[in-house]
Each structure stands twice: as C-alpha cells, then as structure tokens.
C-alpha cells in the first residue's frame, strides 16, 4: 500500500524578536529533524498581517527570522527555506480551505479568542481564518510531520480536520482522478489526497513559560523584557534575566514528581533539559536537592554557551541581506515547484479549469 512520503514542514511568524520559547519549542527541533527527514521551513509573512496590518519593517523582520534559522543550523541547500508570500499557492489553497472549514471550527480556536480579545467584531477576517492559511501552508506540500510548540496543537488538529473533510467531500473525484494516496486512518485503510499530519510537540520544553510568571507562556508580546530570553540577547542580559527569574524558596526536588505545583522550578528544569538535549529526570538526577543559587549559574552558563554562537552568527548574517535574499529566492523557487503541482491536482480534483 502506498503511503505519503515523510516530509517535515513548519513556520515562524516574522513578528517581534525570537525568544527561547521559539528556539526550544520549534527551531531546535527543526535543526534536529534535518538528519532524518526532508524539511521545508517557512517564514510566514502573510500570517504577520492577521493581527496587525501595517508593520515598520516586515522585510527586515523576515530576513531576521531567516538569519535565525540559518544561524541555528538549518541547511538551506539540503532543505528548503523561504518566505510564504513568494509562493502564491499558500493564499490560493487557503481560499479553498476557507470553503472547506466551518466558521464554528474557527470560532473555537483559543488563540483567536485570546488575540481578538473582547472586541471580536473588530478583529480582522484574516485573524479568524488564520488556521485555514496555516493548514494550507502544511498541506500545500502534503507534509506529514510538523514540529511546533504546544500552543499550536489546536491549529494542527484543525489542519487534520480540514484534510479529512476535503478527502471525504471529494472522495469520488479523488478516486476518479487517481490522485489519492492510500493511508491508514486508525484501523481503516482509506484513499485521500491530503495526509493527516502529525504534530511533533514532545520534548522537555514544549511550552516554555515566562521567567517572571511560571503560569504564563513566554511570549514576544509580554511587556516585560525580563520575562523572556531573546535570541539576540548578549551574555550579560541572559545572566541578568536568569538571576532575576522568579523561583520559590524550596531547593530543587529529589524527583520529577516533586516539580508538580512548582511552575517556575519546572520551567527552569525543562529549559535546562532542552538546552542540553536531556530529560527533566536527568537534570533532577544532577541537581536534585540543590538551591536555585547553585542551579541558576549552571543554567546561565549552559544558556550562554548555546545561545551566544547563534546570536553572533545571526548578527553576521544580518550584515549580508543579499545573501539572505538569495536563500529565500532559491527556496521559494523550489517550494513553488512542489506547490504548483499540488495546486494543479487540487484544481483537477475540485473541477476548476487551469
Ligand atoms: P509563532 O511564530 O508564534 O511561533 C513559532 C514557533 O514557536 C513556538 N513557540 C513556543 N514553543 C514553546 N514555548 C513557547 N513559549 C513558545 N512560543 C512560541 C510555536 O509553537 C511555533 O512552533 N501559527 C504559527 C506559525 C505557522 C506555522 C504554520 C507553524 C504558520 N503556518 C505551519 C507550523 C506549520 C505561529 O504563529 O507560530
């Protein structure tokens, strides 16, 4: 039985500074997956228009995320790195998915509710339809695996719902055109055009929390810069932010269960584990019973040793925008070739003349 070829896709928005949450929840995983998979990594500039339409320097932001990808170790020759707006298929397929998805599905998205706030009537239509563009990003390449942080889980479930509804609604046309692929859905063998994409969310830090409040996600939009470590922070800032990170008065527990109900301790242990490619268990085995006054300097040293080379390389790359633009153009050409084939198939399946 034929199956979809494994392919990794993920995206990062060019809004604000990247932080440790983006790095540990997403970019570090992007780098690791290059060893085992073909990967497509996208700076999703069209997504940046949904919450705020006018940006001061969207091109610069797009280059800066690209620089972060490359500085972290993504190889743009072996894999594909590009910005979303270069490939028209994203917006085109998103339109079709707008007609597949139901308004009720979109209204249930917690990120939409958070971002739209109380004044929902005044949110852009793009913000409501955002998950349908995200589904298009992934399914335009019929990607099978998507590494993301925990906050994107609901959007990926919706991506599966859209793929499944398309496969069912057009099952006859998919069979007639022979464009489908056999796949297992649960126990059942079905034929469909789009795969049911798997999220890759595991690891010790799928949700990095604010350094000021262990119950809040580390976020670009937090007013306090002390709440996050930015990818561009120097060693002094990293050291200061970890020193000032909120903790509780107890020493680290003797086992992982002891982290329960201690969100700040759990967050710092998870960060340490993710930065050193180990588990929380392994970190507790080393530091269990120790005071934060001993753990924090070790965490600082580790964070600086991992982040400093990345920020130095990012700065170097940002001095060469022509090189970055060349990477995006080449990646866009290669992504566009795959996307063009999918769009022709989709038009054939739907019955649009092309
Ligand atoms: P964005 O740009 O907000 O974030 C980029 C990636 O960083 C992860 N992330 C975190 N992970 C752990 N802890 C945190 N505190 C944290 N904050 C952010 C996000 O989960 C994400 O993986 N909708 C997406 C972008 C997108 C996309 C896609 C992703 C558009 N199309 C297709 C995957 C596939 C977003 O806004 O991510």
């Amino acid at each position: 039985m034929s199956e979809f070829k494994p392919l990794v896709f993920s995206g990062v928005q060019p809004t604000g500074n990247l932080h440790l949450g983006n790095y540990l929840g997403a970019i570090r995983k992007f780098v690791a997956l290059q060893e085992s998979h073909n990967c497509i990594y996208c700076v999703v500039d069209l997504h940046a228009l949904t919450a705020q339409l006018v940006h001061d320097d969207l091109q610069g932001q797009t280059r800066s995320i690209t620089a972060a990808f490359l500085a972290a170790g993504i190889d743009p020759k072996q894999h594909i790195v590009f910005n979303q707006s270069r490939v028209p298929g994203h917006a085109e397929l998103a339109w079709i998915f707008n007609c597949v998805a139901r308004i009720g599905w979109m209204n249930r998205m917690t990120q939409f509710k958070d971002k739209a706030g109380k004044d929902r009537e005044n949110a852009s239509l793009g913000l409501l339809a955002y998950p349908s563009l995200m589904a298009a990003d992934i399914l335009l390449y019929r990607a099978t695996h998507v590494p993301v942080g925990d906050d994107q889980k609901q959007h990926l479930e919706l991506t599966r719902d859209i793929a499944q509804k398309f496969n069912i609604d057009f099952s006859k046309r998919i069979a007639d055109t022979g464009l489908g692929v056999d796949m297992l859905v649960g126990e059942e063998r079905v034929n469909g055009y789009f795969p049911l994409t798997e999220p890759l969310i595991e690891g010790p830090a799928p949700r990095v929390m604010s350094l000021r409040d262990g119950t809040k996600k580390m976020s670009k939009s937090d007013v306090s810069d002390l709440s996050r470590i930015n990818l561009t922070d120097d060693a002094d800032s990293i050291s200061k932010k970890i020193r000032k990170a909120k903790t509780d008065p107890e020493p680290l527990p003797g086992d992982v269960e002891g982290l329960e109900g201690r969100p700040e301790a759990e967050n710092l242990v998870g960060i340490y584990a993710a930065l050193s490619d180990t588990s929380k268990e392994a970190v507790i085995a080393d530091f269990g019973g120790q005071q934060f006054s001993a753990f924090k300097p070790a965490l600082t040293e580790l964070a600086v040793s991992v982040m400093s080379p990345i920020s130095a390389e990012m700065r170097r790359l940002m001095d060469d925008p022509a090189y970055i633009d060349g990477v995006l153009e080449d990646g866009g050409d290669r992504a566009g070739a795959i996307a063009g084939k999918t769009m022709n198939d989709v038009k054939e399946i739907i019955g649009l003349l092309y």
Side-chain angles (χ1 to χ4, degrees):
M1 141 175 150
S2 63
E3 279 279 352
F4 287 95
K5 256 180 50 200
L7 177 71
V8 166
F9 181 96
S10 197
V12 175
Q13 287 199 59
T15 43
N17 274 338
L18 286 179
H19 52 69
L20 192 61
N22 301 123
Y23 178 64
L24 295 179
I27 298 173
R28 196 171 166 90
K29 292 186 200 156
F30 299 178
V31 176
L33 283 162
Q34 298 182 108
E35 298 296 321
S36 49
H37 288 76
N38 286 325
C39 304
I40 304 180
Y41 296 128
C42 183
V43 185
V44 288
D45 47 10
L46 295 174
H47 278 272
L49 309 180
T50 56
Q52 179 192 333
L53 180 59
V54 182
H55 294 256
D56 283 345
D57 183 17
L58 192 52
Q59 294 184 337
Q61 289 276 352
T62 299
R63 290 189 185 108
S64 148
I65 305 291
T66 312
F69 283 178
L70 304 181
I74 291 169
D75 178 348
K77 291 214 160 60
Q78 208 64 41
H79 301 275
I80 294 179
V81 173
F82 74 109
N83 60 306
Q84 184 186 29
S85 60
R86 250 175 225 277
V87 177
H90 291 256
E92 216 177 344
L93 188 58
W95 176 257
I96 288 164
F97 286 170
N98 282 346
C99 303
V100 173
R102 309 288 94 184
I103 293 175
W105 301 1
M106 300 296 167
N107 273 326
R108 279 196 288 278
M109 294 293 111
T110 50
Q111 204 159 75
F112 171 67
K113 291 188 218 167
D114 288 350
K115 288 197 177 165
K118 287 203 174 62
D119 195 7
R120 258 205 228 183
E121 290 292 306
N122 209 22
S124 76
L125 194 50
L127 191 67
L128 181 66
Y130 179 115
S132 137
L133 178 59
M134 181 160 161
D137 298 339
I138 297 164
L139 296 175
L140 190 55
Y141 304 95
R142 298 162 98 192
T144 55
H145 295 87
V146 180
V148 279
D150 181 66
D151 61 336
Q152 296 300 317
K153 193 171 170 193
Q154 199 184 25
H155 290 156
L156 288 177
E157 283 160 7
L158 192 114
T159 300
R160 291 167 68 96
D161 291 342
I162 289 178
Q164 192 153 24
K165 186 166 188 301
F166 183 95
N167 287 343
I168 292 171
D169 288 353
F170 289 104
S171 57
K172 184 163 180 324
R173 300 273 313 161
I174 294 170
D176 290 350
T177 53
L179 288 167
V181 170
D182 285 336
M183 59 180 145
L184 268 181
V185 177
E187 306 275 272
E188 217 185 320
R189 181 185 288 208
V190 297
N191 185 268
Y193 184 72
F194 288 119
L196 303 186
T197 304
E198 297 285 339
L200 301 174
I201 304 183
E202 66 282 348
R207 192 178 190 85
V208 177
M209 309 308 275
S210 155
L211 298 179
R212 305 301 295 164
D213 176 353
T215 63
K216 260 175 50 188
K217 193 179 73 167
M218 184 177 283
S219 145
K220 296 166 187 174
S221 53
D222 197 313
V223 284
S224 165
D225 194 51
L226 284 175
S227 70
R228 64 183 159 260
I229 293 178
N230 302 305
L231 230 52
T232 46
D233 281 347
D234 60 19
D236 284 347
S237 317
I238 294 176
S239 165
K240 178 173 143 200
K241 288 175 179 179
I242 294 179
R243 205 170 51 244
K244 288 190 175 270
K246 187 177 165 203
T247 50
D248 56 43
E250 301 295 317
L252 284 170
D255 53 33
V256 182
E257 289 70 44
L259 290 170
E260 220 165 283
R262 298 180 61 188
E264 283 82 17
E266 177 157 29
N267 189 36
L268 295 184
V269 168
I271 291 173
Y272 193 103
L275 282 170
S276 55
D277 289 324
T278 56
S279 59
K280 287 183 191 167
E281 285 78 6
V283 178
I284 288 295
D286 282 349
F287 291 97
Q290 294 197 25
Q291 301 290 341
F292 283 104
S293 55
F295 181 61
K296 281 183 166 182
L299 178 59
T300 302
E301 196 184 322
L302 174 64
V304 169
S305 75
V306 173
M307 312 289 282
S308 290
I310 299 176
S311 56
E313 179 63 3
M314 255 182 93
R315 277 194 295 278
R316 193 188 68 77
L317 287 164
M318 286 300 284
D319 281 343
D320 192 355
Y323 170 72
I324 293 181
D325 291 1
V327 164
L328 293 173
E329 191 180 337
D330 171 60
D333 287 347
R334 288 187 288 138
I338 306 171
K341 160 89 174 66
T342 305
M343 281 319 299
N344 284 346
D345 288 354
V346 167
K347 287 175 185 170
E348 183 69 40
I349 290 168
I350 294 180
L352 301 168
L353 286 173
Y354 59 100

